[in-house]
Amino acid sequence: MAERVVIDPLTRIEGHLRIELEREGEKITNAWSETTQFRGIEEIVEGRDPRDVWAFVGRICGVCTGVHSIGSVVAVEDAIGSTVPKQARLIRDLVLGSQEVHDHVVHFYHLHALDWVNVVSAAEADPKKAVEFAASIGSTWKNNSETTFQKVKETIQGVLDSGQLSIFSNGYWEHPDYRLPPEANLMAVSHYLDALQFQRSIIRINTVFGGKNPHPNFLVGGMACSIDPNKSETVNQVQLDQVSSWIDEILEFVNDCYYPDAVAIMGAYKDYFDIGAAAPNFLAVGMAGATYGGDPTGRPVSSFHPDIRPGVILDGDYSTLHELDPAKITEFVSSAWFSYSEGKDVGLHPSEGETVVDYTGPQPPYEWLGDSEEYTWSKAPRYDGRPTQVGPVARVLLAYLQKEPTTTRLVNEAMKALDIRVEQLNSTAGRTFARAVEAVTTAEALADTILPAFIDGLRRGDIDVFDSSTWEPSSWPQECEGFSMLEVARGTLGHWVRIKDGKVDNYQAVVPTTWLAGGRDARGQMGPYEHSLAHGGEHPLVDPKQPLEPLRTIHSFDPCMSCAVHVLDPNGESVMEVMTP
C-alpha cells in the first residue's frame, strides 16, 4: 500500500500551498496540489467604477506587485477604446521589466537556492578556492574576492556557533543529495547576500514611476506620473539618471552573477533535467513584458520583443508553434470548492467566468484531502482541453522556436555544455535555467531598447502620458467588454472585464499560478504541479521527513498562491494564524 506524505505548508513561496503525495519505495506515485486560500477579489470589484479596479486587483499579491494593476488597466482600456500614449507604454515596460528581473533574482537566490545549496557546508570552505570556483564557472561578479568570502564564512560560522540558524533554521542540511562542494556553497551564500542588496535597489524603478512600492500607482489611459526633466515635483533628470544607473546594475548582476550561478548549479544537478516534467503543452503571448489588449493575434499594446509572436506548443511537439486562440481557454472547477451554474464539469471561458463559493471540505486542520473529488480553492485552466504550462520555460521555448538571437545563443550553449535536448527544458532544472535566460534577455531589453526609446522621446519633447479622450464614462458604450493578456514573471496573466452602465458587471483573472497549481479537471487530467510530481512514478522522494526532492520541483514553478487565490474576511478580522519554518 502506498505511503501517504503531506507537505503543509510548503514554504519559501507566496501564500499557502499544501501538497499531498503517495509514495512507493523511494518514488512518488500520486500527487494533489491543494491551495488552501479563498479567492475574493473578483467579487469585490463587481459594481465598481472600472477606472478604480486596478487598485483592488493589484492587491491580489504584494510579490507580483504592479502586474495585476497593469493587466487591469489594459483590459479596461481595451473595453472602452482608450489609446495609451507611447511614453506611458514605455513607462509600463520599465516597470514590468524591472519587476521581472527582480522576481527572478529573488526566486533563484532567496526562495529556490536553498534546495540546491547547503548553507552549513559553506562554513567548511576555503575562501581562496571559492574564488577559483567562481572564476571556473565564468562568474565575473565584482564581489568574488577572498576577503568577501572570508567574511561570509565567518558570519556563517558565527551563526552555527550560536545554535540559532535564523532564516536557515529547519533546513534539510543532512539530506544526502546536496552535491555542491563547500566552496560552491560559500560562493552561493555570498551571492545570496549580494542579491538582498541588489533586489532592494532594482525595485526603486517602480517607485520613481509609480510613486511607491509595493503596489505602485497606475491610471486607465496612461500613467499617473507627470514628466518634466526640469521640475523637481515631476519625474525629472535626476530620477532618470538614477533609473539609468539601476538598469546598468541590473545588467551587471544578471550577467556577472545570476546567470553563471544558475547554469553551474543546474549543471551539478543535471539529472533534474529529466525530473519534474509536466504535460508538454506550453502557452505564451510573447517574451517577458509582452502585453496585449484584446486579441493576441493582433499587434501588441507593448512588447520588449515585438517580433516574437504569441503561440502554443502542443502534445510534446517542440518543433511546431501553433497560433494562440484565446477562445480555447477555459476554467474548470471539478476539483475546486466552487460551483458553476451549468454544473461542476463544464469549462467556462473567462469572459463568462463565475466565482461562486461552494466549500465541501473538512474544517481545518486537515488530515487528508486527496480522497475527495474537491480538494482545492484553485480553478483548473485548460487550453483546448489540455493542461498547459505557462511561465519562463514557455516563453523561452517560444522565443527559441522563433530564433530570438540571445535566447537561441544561450539555449544552444547550455544544451551543448550540459549535453541536453530542448525537450528537457520541460523539467525542474529546465524551469530554473529558463528564468536565468529570461533575466538576461529582459535586462538587455531594459538597457538597450526600452530606456533609450523613452529618453529619445523626451529629447523630442514627448512628455504625454495620458489619453483623456475616453476618461469620462459618458464616452463609453452602455455595455462593453475587454481583456488583457500579458507576460509577467510566473507566466501568462489574463484579466477579463465586462462593463455595463459605467460599472463592472463581471471580472475574472486567470493568473499563472492558477494555470500551474490547479487540480484535476472534468476528465481527471492533473494540473502541472501534480503531473510534474506524479506522472510516470519516477520522481524521487528518498526521505518523507525531508521532502527535498518534491520541494525542488514545486519551487521551480515559483508558486504565488496569493495570485491564484486571495484570502478575504468581509469583517476585516484575522482568519487564522500560521507558524511555519
Side-chain angles (χ1 to χ4, degrees), residues 233-558:
E233 63 270 24
T234 66
V235 175
N236 56 43
Q237 190 61 55
V238 173
Q239 292 170 313
L240 293 175
D241 289 343
Q242 290 176 324
V243 170
S244 180
S245 68
W246 292 329
I247 288 177
D248 289 342
E249 184 181 346
I250 291 171
L251 202 60
E252 178 186 32
F253 186 86
V254 166
N255 284 314
D256 297 354
C257 188
Y258 174 23
Y259 183 78
D261 281 2
V263 174
I265 291 174
M266 290 304 96
Y269 293 89
K270 181 183 168 182
D271 54 321
Y272 273 84
F273 282 101
D274 294 309
I275 294 171
N281 307 302
F282 303 86
L283 179 154
V285 298
M287 294 176 67
T291 303
Y292 284 82
D295 189 353
T297 62
R299 296 299 300 171
V301 171
S302 193
S303 178
F304 306 170
H305 302 88
D307 294 333
I308 304 302
R309 306 296 294 162
V312 290
I313 296 168
L314 300 175
D315 304 324
D317 181 358
Y318 292 87
S319 63
T320 303
L321 188 66
H322 301 272
E323 185 174 282
L324 171 63
D325 181 359
K328 294 182 178 180
I329 297 172
T330 52
E331 285 193 297
F332 288 86
V333 296
S334 307
S335 59
W337 293 308
F338 296 103
S339 63
Y340 282 164
S341 57
E342 296 183 22
K344 291 282 291 186
D345 292 337
V346 174
L348 294 182
H349 188 267
S351 63
E352 301 297 330
E354 301 171 4
T355 305
V356 180
V357 173
D358 185 18
Y359 184 70
T360 59
Q363 291 298 311
Y366 315 115
E367 292 185 8
W368 187 263
L369 296 174
D371 286 336
S372 301
E373 290 185 7
E374 299 158 355
Y375 54 83
T376 181
W377 281 113
S378 181
K379 296 179 182 180
R382 297 292 183 260
Y383 180 82
D384 199 18
R386 298 169 171 87
T388 303
Q389 292 187 69
V390 298
V393 70
R395 292 191 290 260
V396 166
L397 290 170
L398 186 85
Y400 186 75
L401 273 177
Q402 297 182 63
K403 298 181 172 55
E404 194 280 321
T406 301
T407 302
T408 301
R409 173 177 61 82
L410 294 175
V411 170
N412 283 341
E413 288 175 356
M415 288 196 299
K416 181 178 180 180
L418 299 172
D419 189 26
I420 60 173
R421 305 176 308 280
V422 69
E423 54 266 31
Q424 288 175 275
L425 294 182
N426 180 15
S427 63
T428 300
R431 286 184 285 269
T432 304
F433 167 71
R435 277 185 169 80
V437 171
E438 188 168 81
V440 173
T441 55
T442 302
E444 288 183 353
L446 285 168
D448 300 339
T449 304
I450 304 169
L451 184 63
F454 180 66
I455 298 297
D456 181 64
L458 295 182
R459 291 195 181 104
R460 292 184 284 101
D462 185 359
I463 58 174
D464 183 15
V465 293
F466 177 55
D467 169 30
S468 62
S469 65
T470 58
W471 176 253
E472 294 298 333
S474 58
S475 68
W476 307 344
Q478 185 176 357
E479 294 189 31
C480 55
E481 59 184 45
F483 70 99
S484 64
M485 297 184 74
L486 59 158
E487 291 297 333
V488 300
R490 290 166 177 83
T492 308
L493 171 64
H495 281 245
W496 277 259
V497 62
R498 184 165 65 242
I499 301 169
K500 184 177 180 180
D501 298 327
K503 303 294 183 182
V504 173
D505 186 55
N506 190 31
Y507 201 96
Q508 294 290 311
V510 182
V511 309
T513 297
T514 316
W515 278 103
L516 301 169
R520 289 151 170 83
D521 59 23
R523 294 165 56 191
Q525 298 178 110
M526 292 180 173
Y529 285 8
E530 298 172 335
H531 190 285
S532 69
L533 294 173
H535 181 70
E538 293 298 322
H539 196 293
L541 174 54
V542 174
D543 182 357
K545 295 182 179 180
Q546 300 186 92
L548 184 62
E549 302 93 342
L551 287 179
R552 287 171 172 168
T553 290
I554 297 299
H555 281 152
S556 73
F557 289 99
D558 193 10

Side-chain angles (χ1 to χ4, degrees), residues 74-84 467 469-470 475-477 480-481:
V74 173
V76 172
E77 288 159 358
D78 179 50
I80 65 176
S82 177
T83 301
V84 178
D467 169 30
S469 65
T470 58
S475 68
W476 307 344
C480 55
E481 59 184 45

Side-chain angles (χ1 to χ4, degrees), residues 196-239:
L196 286 173
Q197 296 295 323
F198 167 77
Q199 60 101 355
R200 183 180 67 176
S201 64
I202 177 180
I203 210 62
R204 293 174 182 169
I205 294 174
N206 284 15
T207 305
V208 167
F209 294 111
K212 61 188 179 69
N213 195 78
H215 309 308
N217 293 310
F218 294 93
L219 179 69
V220 170
M223 283 297 293
C225 59
S226 299
I227 303 173
D228 190 331
N230 300 313
K231 292 184 178 180
S232 60
E233 63 270 24
T234 66
V235 175
N236 56 43
Q237 190 61 55
V238 173
Q239 292 170 313

Side-chain angles (χ1 to χ4, degrees), residues 165-210:
L165 289 184
S166 184
I167 59 174
F168 303 125
S169 297
N170 298 320
Y172 304 135
W173 309 124
E174 301 302 319
H175 196 285
D177 198 40
Y178 278 112
R179 307 176 192 174
L180 297 178
E183 287 71 29
N185 287 319
L186 178 59
M187 178 203 73
V189 174
S190 181
H191 292 173
Y192 174 107
L193 298 173
D194 291 334
L196 286 173
Q197 296 295 323
F198 167 77
Q199 60 101 355
R200 183 180 67 176
S201 64
I202 177 180
I203 210 62
R204 293 174 182 169
I205 294 174
N206 284 15
T207 305
V208 167
F209 294 111

Side-chain angles (χ1 to χ4, degrees), residues 130-172:
V131 174
E132 294 171 355
F133 177 84
S136 73
I137 66 169
S139 175
T140 57
W141 178 233
K142 59 188 177 185
N143 289 345
N144 290 343
S145 70
E146 189 173 345
T147 300
T148 298
F149 289 162
Q150 179 63 40
K151 289 180 179 178
V152 173
K153 177 180 177 178
E154 292 170 359
T155 299
I156 295 170
Q157 190 62 58
V159 170
L160 294 175
D161 291 343
S162 74
Q164 300 289 329
L165 289 184
S166 184
I167 59 174
F168 303 125
S169 297
N170 298 320
Y172 304 135

